[in-house]
Amino acid sequence: MTEATRVLVLNSGSSSVKYQLLDMPGGTRLATGLVERIGERSARLVHTPSGGERRERGGPFPDHRAALRAAAEELAADGTGFDSPALAAVGHRVVHGGDRFTGPVRVDDRVIAEIEALVPLAPLHNPGNLEGIRTAGALSPGVPQVAVFDTAFHTTMPEYAWRYAIDVRTADEHRVRRYGAHGTSHAYVSRRTAELLGRAPEDVNVIVLHLGNGCSAAAVAGGRCVDTSMGMTPLEGLVMGTRSGDIDPAVVLHLARNAGMSVDAIDALLNRRSGLLGLCGDNDMREVTRRAGDGDEAARLALDVYAHRLRKYVGAYTAVLGRVDAVAFTAGVGENSAPVRAAALAGLGGLGLVVDPDLNTAPGRGPRFISPQYASVAVAVVPTDEELEIAGQAYDLVST
Ligand code: ADP
């Protein structure tokens, strides 16, 4: 009998499905793929088997079922269809698990109903995630479906960290509290950082800075999250590509009352036209740093606002943790932008945080230190791998 060691990881959005097939527990990547613009005439699938030729095909993919069927055909052509006995699980990325899901779960009708009930908290994400769960479940009825929640890692936050200081009854009635996001990445990176330090996760305190299009910080004490910068939604916290991060909530009231802006217009302003984009007109950090280097004032200011917010969070989380063993940079900006890493920790030598300019700018891809030997706190670049983390969690769940 074939041993079931493969995990298909699905990240099913509203109009796209990303997938990866991994062999566990080693984590070897066997294939990656993407179906985009589902429901549109220009829909297409791109499938890349590891070590093989990239294959593309057009739609029509009118819905997720058609998209996943096509993905299943491509995977089957490489030897691992949705009904393959080698498939141990399908691991689904689910953005919002509320305060209910503290870890990965096997999907059943009750789990589906609960994810559905959380749609008001993640209207842009949970419906697409559910679509993927339902469709994959129908296409591979014999294979365990596992939901891995982006919020789960943050459910260990103490109440004084997750509770907003507003009327408790109103907050609880409407499930208003801090949930955080990027949890799968923070879990993976904090553990990998402990490995890099050569220590057990239980023994180290880490500040993880996940800087992609969305940005969030997490304070992780002994492997458990004790605070994170995103809140009820991913809008809170750090300055991001297009989101404002922290802002006085009265700004919303002011714009509604005095600028005549609708709730939807303010939503669009803060989520899609703010952050780096709002400050300088570009949300891609490569472009912002290039412009700043050329002396562009708006880009310079955008970088300064971005870095100042990061420094504040690093300082705050140093206080929250009491003792910090490492600060880890991850995601598109964190892994690639030496100037942002340097600016984020500039002037924090008093906290033991020093970035070595040569190590910071040296080319490298894997986990690595960028702090000098003598520094009391390690600073590291630790590439994230959310798919591997989802595959690992799903595999562990079904094989124990
Ligand atoms: P997402 O949050 O969508 O998962 P990523 O983690 O892939 O995004 O980060 C994407 C962002 O990373 C891009 O918008 C870009 O600003 C930034 N980025 C990617 N490569 C570089 C680079 N070499 N230098 C600076 N920024 C980069």
Side-chain angles (χ1 to χ4, degrees), residues 211-214 283-286 331-333 336-337:
L211 311 178
N213 274 318
N283 62 316
D284 191 314
M285 187 55 90
R286 284 164 287 209
V333 176
N336 296 299
S337 180

Side-chain angles (χ1 to χ4, degrees), residues 96 121 164 177 179-181 229-236 271:
H96 217 306
L121 291 174
Y164 289 118
R177 52 159 286 178
Y179 297 100
S229 60
M230 283 178 168
M232 184 177 101
T233 78
L235 184 54
E236 191 177 339
N271 275 299

Side-chain angles (χ1 to χ4, degrees), residues 43-62:
R44 63 178 197 135
L45 177 150
V46 181
H47 177 89
T48 313
S50 289
E53 286 272 310
R54 163 193 156 107
R55 308 198 288 271
E56 272 197 53
R57 63 199 250 198
F61 306 123

Side-chain angles (χ1 to χ4, degrees), residues 142-168:
V143 180
Q145 309 288 316
V146 177
V148 178
F149 300 90
D150 241 10
T151 44
F153 186 61
H154 303 307
T155 55
T156 51
M157 283 194 285
E159 183 167 355
Y160 55 76
W162 62 250
R163 190 170 274 290
Y164 289 118
I166 62 172
D167 172 63
V168 171

Side-chain angles (χ1 to χ4, degrees), residues 36-269:
E36 56 187 351
R37 297 190 292 272
I38 295 170
E40 292 179 39
R41 287 171 71 163
S42 57
R44 63 178 197 135
L45 177 150
V46 181
H47 177 89
T48 313
S50 289
E53 286 272 310
R54 163 193 156 107
R55 308 198 288 271
E56 272 197 53
R57 63 199 250 198
F61 306 123
D63 52 22
H64 283 68
R65 174 171 280 265
L68 274 181
R69 250 186 220 288
E73 282 166 22
E74 296 298 335
L75 286 160
D78 297 339
T80 314
F82 274 36
D83 54 356
S84 164
L87 207 54
V90 179
H92 296 269
R93 175 179 187 227
V94 182
V95 165
H96 217 306
D99 54 9
R100 167 70 187 75
F101 294 106
T102 57
V105 289
R106 287 275 286 254
V107 173
D108 58 19
D109 289 346
R110 191 184 50 83
V111 168
I112 289 181
E114 294 198 32
I115 297 172
E116 184 104 63
L118 291 163
V119 164
L121 291 174
L124 300 179
H125 295 108
N126 273 26
N129 301 160
L130 271 172
E131 198 62 47
I133 289 174
R134 289 199 174 102
T135 313
L139 290 173
S140 55
V143 180
Q145 309 288 316
V146 177
V148 178
F149 300 90
D150 241 10
T151 44
F153 186 61
H154 303 307
T155 55
T156 51
M157 283 194 285
E159 183 167 355
Y160 55 76
W162 62 250
R163 190 170 274 290
Y164 289 118
I166 62 172
D167 172 63
V168 171
R169 265 220 320 232
T170 308
D172 290 351
E173 190 183 337
H174 298 284
R175 292 182 291 185
V176 173
R177 52 159 286 178
R178 310 186 61 253
Y179 297 100
H182 291 150
T184 307
S185 175
H186 287 298
Y188 177 82
V189 171
S190 56
R191 215 178 48 246
R192 293 285 287 151
T193 306
E195 270 171 35
L196 187 65
L197 290 167
R199 295 166 67 183
E202 303 78 56
D203 296 337
V204 297
N205 291 349
V206 183
I207 298 174
V208 180
L209 302 173
H210 177 114
L211 311 178
N213 274 318
C215 302
S216 68
V220 184
R224 292 163 66 86
C225 177
V226 292
D227 206 352
T228 194
S229 60
M230 283 178 168
M232 184 177 101
T233 78
L235 184 54
E236 191 177 339
L238 300 173
V239 176
M240 316 188 199
T242 66
R243 299 191 195 112
S244 63
D246 292 337
I247 195 168
D248 181 345
V251 169
V252 175
L253 312 179
H254 172 75
L255 293 175
R257 290 194 184 116
N258 303 315
M261 289 176 73
S262 67
V263 169
D264 286 346
I266 300 171
D267 185 342
L269 172 77

